[in-house]
Amino acid sequence: MIISRTPSNSALWVVATPLGNPGDISGRALEVLSECDLVLAEDTRRAGMLFKNLGIRAREFLSLHEHNEAGRIHQVVSRIMAGGNCALISDAGTPLMADPGYRLVRYCRESGIDVIPVPGPCSIVAALAASGLPPYPFSFLGFPPRKAYEIEKTFKTWQEIPATLVFFERKNRITTTLQIALQVLGPREFCLARELTKKYEEFIIGRLDSIELDADRLLGEITVIIAPQDPGGSAEDTQSVELLISECLKQGLRPREVVQEVRKHARGWSGKEIYALMHTMRRDA
């Protein structure tokens, strides 16, 4: 069905908002946000401040976050089916990118409701474009899990896939997450993009095997980019790692020291994997 893409059509509008600089809002986004009957936002107070900075007023705000999305779906769909227009926004950037809204969009599609994107700012694309790292193919991972072993498991899933990895991380966890990335992915290039489009915008470029970060000054949400493995630096095979372990054991190193030494040379191997391989070698000896 062909429809006119204006707020006069009953629909769910997925609207991108500025990352920080209000000048990045599009004229179309301003029109939709001004004329929609209902604006769905994760934090209605922040949304209210955004609208004030943009010089527009919302007819009505309604909170939509991960804890209430399931309960809001029927309420929102009923409003749209009754002839209303609803706009879904994020706190900043493009909705659904590690934000709630997927279930609502899916239900609207299944109910025959038009879902209309209003493209605009997106921290993932902005960071990729200015990082100097390979922009495609890339995979977006959202926020990594909280526990170290779960982060390790996540990176293992992408260990052999030749794609740039992009994800969000908080400053108090960034060092640990990058250290785990080094253990699993090897010494790849990385970029930390923070405060995008704001006064203190910063791009920190480096390698995972030589990280020098002052986490205390990394304010704001961080967009992390990790480049694919250098074609000449793929992960060592099992036989090569066995030889490294044997050399360390001959030198009389203790198991922990063996792992520390082998990890310096065995790209793509975690400490847990080296321990397991060392145990197998001793058992089979």
Side-chain angles (χ1 to χ4, degrees), residues 133-139 155-166 185 188 226-234:
L133 300 182
Y136 62 87
F138 79 88
S139 294
F155 286 141
K156 277 183 175 295
T157 302
W158 302 94
Q159 188 177 33
E160 302 299 329
I161 298 176
T164 295
L165 303 180
V166 186
L185 303 174
R188 304 186 184 190
I226 298 179
Q229 181 66 268
D230 186 334
S234 57

Side-chain angles (χ1 to χ4, degrees), residues 134-148:
Y136 62 87
F138 79 88
S139 294
F140 176 58
L141 311 184
F143 279 96
R146 292 185 176 274
K147 297 181 179 179

Side-chain angles (χ1 to χ4, degrees), residues 31-94:
E31 178 188 10
V32 170
L33 294 177
S34 298
E35 297 188 19
C36 274
D37 305 293
L38 179 66
V39 176
L40 305 169
E42 193 170 5
D43 185 334
T44 56
R45 289 173 298 180
R46 291 186 64 174
M49 290 299 299
L50 170 65
F51 274 56
K52 182 178 180 180
N53 291 336
L54 295 176
I56 58 176
R57 296 186 64 180
R59 297 180 182 180
E60 182 182 350
F61 284 118
L62 182 68
S63 66
L64 183 84
H65 49 71
E66 61 177 330
H67 302 297
N68 73 358
E69 182 178 0
R72 292 285 198 214
I73 288 176
H74 292 287
Q75 179 182 356
V76 174
V77 167
S78 296
R79 290 281 295 266
I80 297 174
M81 286 186 163
N85 270 287
C86 292
L88 172 63
I89 66 172
S90 169
D91 284 346
T94 300

